[in-house]
């Protein structure tokens, strides 16, 4: 009876092992067939500064009329484009183009000369200057960290330029927002992922340059702390952008979507420069999704770490940890969070690195999402009235950051060949073990019989 039971166990074991081999082979075949293709086959599109969406008719008018006859453009409260001009003939051209002219005393050339003079003065951390198109003035600001002596020296420089330069003290301090956007962590601190970009072969996160020097290693902000990638380049100070090369080279399934909290995201469909007065949205890992208005362009900020120029100013709030997070409107990428003053309880000012400048300097393209029908990028939507603009079309957030690449997680992922190989290997071990056990039992039985016969 005992020998009969052993034979049944051996037969069941062999059948299970053979079945496991067949199952494992099938799993491996399906996994290989479903493996994602090369980066060039990923179903998303790209956009570059050359393809950027228009920032409204005002930008084209300013370029055509020139810097000696204009002093900026902005979006009025009614959504109509306003262009500052210095003569009646230019005003007529603006009116004929369907925009609203505003006659002013000082041109963009005057603004550029003033900011050049300010830039040549001794650097004072905690100060900033901007071209205020709507008031036709250059505004110089000093935060609470600027000493009375330093502020007196800077106001003397401003007074020497002309009466169109206005000085003002502001509360708080101009700081980078180091502490997308999803959180990414390194030894340098916590930042937010901005936009996904590509050079055609590899994919990267575009984030703030002050987030960490080249070689900084980044991890996801969840409890698993999986490695995201490594900083491979950027510019700070001067500019404020950097690139994190994804571990494994790819961004994930929703590369053209930015996270806005609660598992939700916004499809990014293009890239552009913003307009003053435009409503914008900012996402960050600390304060989530916030909205505000662009208040100035080409702003210079003297952070304690160094001077950054060409920034976008907005009245949207931000807090430490929001650095590098995306700024966008109507699905159009505009900037990544640099720094500012204040917080989201009392309000504040936030500065952004323009995406177009970073892409042009790095020779990269923005990864954009397919439209709602999945058939290529959605059409870009120009500048809307401030009270009518939205962040863009929504999308669930999945795979914004790369999946864990450790051996255990890859073996456990049913989309990979690991599970099939494990089943196949286990079945082979079971089959070999059953054969060895049978051979060993036969050998022992032969010994017993031989000993009984000849002993």
């Amino acid at each position: 009876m005992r020998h009969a039971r052993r034979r049944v166990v051996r037969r069941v074991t062999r059948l299970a092992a053979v079945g496991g081999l067949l199952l494992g082979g099938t799993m491996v075949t399906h996994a290989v067939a479903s493996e994602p293709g090369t980066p060039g086959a990923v179903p998303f599109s790209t956009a570059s500064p050359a393809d950027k969406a228009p920032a409204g008719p005002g930008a084209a008018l300013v370029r055509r009329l020139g810097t000696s006859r204009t002093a900026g453009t902005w979006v009025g409260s009614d959504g109509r484009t306003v262009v500052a001009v210095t003569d009646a003939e230019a005003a007529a051209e603006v009116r004929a183009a369907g925009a609203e002219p505003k006659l002013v005393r000082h041109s963009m050339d005057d603004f550029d000369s003033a900011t050049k003079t300010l830039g040549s003065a001794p650097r004072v951390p905690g100060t900033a200057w901007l071209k205020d198109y709507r008031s036709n003035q250059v505004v110089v600001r000093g935060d609470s960290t600027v000493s009375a002596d330093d502020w007196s020296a800077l106001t003397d420089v401003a007074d020497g330029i002309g009466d169109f330069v206005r000085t003002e003290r502001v509360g708080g301090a101009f700081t980078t927002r180091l502490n997308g956007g999803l959180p990414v962590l390194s030894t340098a601190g916590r930042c937010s992922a901005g936009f996904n970009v590509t050079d055609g072969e590899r994919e990267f996160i575009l984030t703030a340059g002050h987030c960490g020097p080249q070689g900084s290693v980044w991890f996801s902000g969840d409890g698993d702390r999986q490695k995201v990638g490594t900083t491979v380049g950027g510019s700070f100070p001067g500019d404020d952008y950097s690139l994190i090369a994804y571990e494994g080279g790819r961004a994930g399934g929703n590369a053209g979507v930015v996270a806005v909290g609660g598992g939700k995201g916004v499809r990014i469909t293009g890239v552009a420069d913003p307009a003053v007065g435009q409503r914008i949205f900012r996402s960050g890992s600390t304060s989530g999704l916030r909205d505000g208005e662009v208040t100035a362009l080409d702003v210079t900020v003297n952070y304690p770490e160094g001077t950054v120029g060409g920034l976008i100013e907005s009245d949207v709030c931000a807090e430490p940890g929001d650095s590098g997070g995306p700024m966008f409107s109507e699905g159009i990428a505009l900037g990544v969070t640099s720094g500012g003053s204040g917080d989201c309880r009392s309000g504040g000012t936030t500065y952004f690195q323009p995406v177009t400048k970073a892409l042009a300097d790095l020779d990269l393209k923005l990864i954009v999402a397919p439209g709602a029908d999945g058939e290529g990028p959605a059409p870009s939507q120009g500048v809307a009235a401030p009270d009518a603009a939205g962040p863009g079309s929504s999308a669930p957030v999945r795979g914004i950051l790369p999946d864990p690449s450790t051996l255990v997680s890859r073996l456990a992922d049913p989309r990979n060949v690991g599970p099939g190989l494990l089943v196949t290997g286990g079945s082979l071990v079971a089959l070999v073990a059953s054969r060895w056990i049978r051979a060993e039992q036969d050998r022992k039985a032969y010994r017993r019989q031989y000993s009984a016969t000849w002993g």
Side-chain angles (χ1 to χ4, degrees), residues 101-405:
K102 180 180 179 181
L103 278 169
V104 296
R105 288 178 55 199
H106 301 283
S107 69
M108 188 63 71
D109 286 346
D110 296 331
F111 287 175
D112 290 340
S113 176
T115 55
K116 184 178 180 180
T117 301
L118 290 166
S120 63
R123 193 180 87 88
V124 179
T127 60
W129 48 82
L130 58 96
K131 303 165 185 176
D132 187 350
Y133 301 156
R134 287 179 277 202
S135 69
N136 195 229
Q137 293 178 314
V138 172
V139 181
V140 181
R141 293 178 180 152
D143 69 17
S144 60
T145 67
V146 179
S147 69
D149 289 343
D150 284 341
W151 182 243
S152 177
L154 190 58
T155 54
D156 285 345
V157 174
D159 291 343
I161 296 172
D163 60 1
F164 67 98
V165 180
R166 184 175 86 242
T167 59
E168 58 185 33
R169 294 300 295 258
V170 296
F174 298 140
T175 61
T176 52
R177 292 311 198 187
L178 178 66
N179 187 11
L182 296 179
V184 285
L185 311 172
S186 79
T187 54
R190 177 166 64 90
C191 275
S192 299
F195 298 99
N196 285 313
V197 298
T198 179
D199 62 4
E201 297 180 357
R202 296 182 301 165
E203 293 161 22
F204 312 85
I205 297 172
L206 179 66
T207 188
H210 69 263
C211 285
Q214 186 161 327
S216 299
V217 178
W218 294 92
F219 299 86
S220 63
D222 56 26
D224 293 334
R225 297 289 190 271
Q226 296 296 331
K227 185 177 179 181
V228 173
T230 304
T231 300
V232 294
S235 176
F236 179 80
D239 302 292
D240 196 2
Y241 58 78
S242 65
L243 282 181
I244 299 174
Y246 275 109
E247 186 78 1
R250 292 183 56 181
N254 281 15
V257 176
V258 295
V260 295
K264 298 178 181 179
V266 171
R267 290 186 179 91
I268 299 302
T269 60
V271 60
D273 291 318
V276 172
Q278 180 178 357
R279 187 187 185 198
I280 54 90
F281 298 81
R282 175 204 59 74
S283 181
S285 61
T286 299
S287 56
L289 182 66
R290 305 282 175 160
D291 71 297
E293 183 179 299
V294 175
T295 52
L297 303 175
D298 195 19
V299 180
T300 298
V301 181
N302 293 295
Y303 294 124
E305 300 93 333
T307 300
V308 180
L311 297 176
I312 303 162
E313 183 187 80
S314 172
D315 60 8
V316 67
C317 69
E319 297 185 352
D322 289 333
S323 277
M327 188 258 274
F328 49 91
S329 182
E330 300 292 328
I332 303 299
L334 301 171
V336 293
T337 305
S338 173
S341 62
D343 54 41
C344 290
R345 292 176 297 279
S346 58
T349 299
T350 302
Y351 302 105
F352 300 89
Q353 165 70 50
V355 172
T356 53
K357 174 68 160 53
L359 293 179
D361 288 353
L362 296 167
D363 194 23
L364 297 172
K365 291 187 176 182
L366 181 74
I367 297 175
V368 296
D373 57 0
E375 297 295 331
S380 59
Q381 306 175 32
V383 176
D387 59 351
S393 61
S394 62
V397 176
R398 296 188 304 271
I400 299 293
L401 295 180
D403 294 328
S405 58

